[in-house]
Amino acid sequence: MKTTKVSINAPVTLAYVFVSFVILVIGLVTGGRSTQLLFMTWHSSLLSPLTWLRFFTHVLGHAGWAHYMGNMAYILLLGPMLEEKYGTARIIEVIAMTALITALVNYIFFPSSALCGASGVVFAFILLSSFTGFRQGEIPLTFILAAVFYIGQQAAQGLFVRDQISQLSHIIGGLVGACAGFALNVEKR
């Protein structure tokens, strides 16, 4: 009789989901103070080491359960496939680059806005995943459609909908994923 066991197929993805969960719970217990202090980027002094830490950690914090669940559903769907194709180190790089670039753009151009959540990483993963069947000298139609649908939707919402969601971080995350998709696939050739 053969036994079935649970495998850890995507360590970065699983760690990301788990760490974000723990941070969310601690944030809820502290009334959001821990999230604001360590896992939300906002315009603070560049001389503070916490500012630089938050440039990377803001993608781990979430405002509540719905925010967390929405982002983690995509991370769990896309992360394992991306880790299998590109490796854990490359996925960590994509997450870190997305975090840093979205934080810097927000810091420079929107000093009165704070960022918190994995949405930029989700959009990076969405556009990066469209490169899974990439061949040299071709642009995947799935990439073009994903870019048009997701980036177009975010641009329209950014122009016409006033909410607490940073569509710019979604767009930047998508651009990071697209650039990573091109670079990682050209690099493999």
Side-chain angles (χ1 to χ4, degrees):
M1 183 179 269
K2 201 170 193 175
T3 60
T4 303
K5 64 180 183 175
V6 175
S7 66
I8 297 177
N9 62 325
V12 172
T13 300
L14 293 169
Y16 192 95
V17 171
F18 178 74
V19 169
S20 292
F21 174 79
V22 170
I23 290 167
L24 174 63
V25 170
I26 293 170
L28 293 172
V29 168
T30 64
R33 287 184 296 281
S34 63
T35 302
Q36 185 175 356
L37 178 66
L38 298 171
F39 304 103
M40 178 183 293
T41 185
W42 36 276
H43 203 81
S44 55
S45 172
L46 291 175
L47 298 177
S48 170
L50 285 179
T51 298
W52 292 96
L53 176 70
R54 287 188 296 261
F55 280 175
F56 292 96
T57 61
H58 73 96
V59 297
L60 297 168
H62 289 84
W65 288 110
H67 188 211
Y68 170 81
M69 297 296 280
N71 283 332
M72 292 308 124
Y74 282 107
I75 298 288
L76 286 167
L77 285 169
L78 300 170
M81 171 187 58
L82 295 173
E83 275 191 73
E84 183 178 328
K85 178 161 175 76
Y86 300 111
T88 57
R90 293 290 189 214
I91 296 307
I92 291 170
E93 290 173 4
V94 169
I95 293 168
M97 289 301 298
T98 302
L100 179 61
I101 293 169
T102 56
L104 287 172
V105 169
N106 189 71
Y107 187 91
I108 293 166
F109 296 107
F110 302 98
S112 62
S113 296
L115 281 183
C116 176
S119 300
V121 173
V122 166
F123 278 79
F125 278 17
I126 287 169
L127 289 185
L128 181 57
S129 71
S130 68
F131 282 91
T132 55
F134 181 83
R135 283 190 242 58
Q136 191 69 27
E138 297 179 2
I139 297 176
L141 180 58
T142 54
F143 164 73
I144 294 168
L145 292 174
V148 168
F149 289 172
Y150 285 102
I151 293 178
Q153 175 194 28
Q154 294 307 306
Q157 285 182 340
L159 291 172
F160 302 114
V161 177
R162 297 289 169 235
D163 57 18
Q164 297 298 314
I165 298 170
S166 174
Q167 281 78 23
L168 185 61
S169 69
H170 297 176
I171 292 168
I172 292 168
L175 293 174
V176 169
C179 291
F182 277 116
L184 291 173
N185 284 288
V186 168
E187 177 181 294
K188 284 188 168 190
R189 304 286 174 211

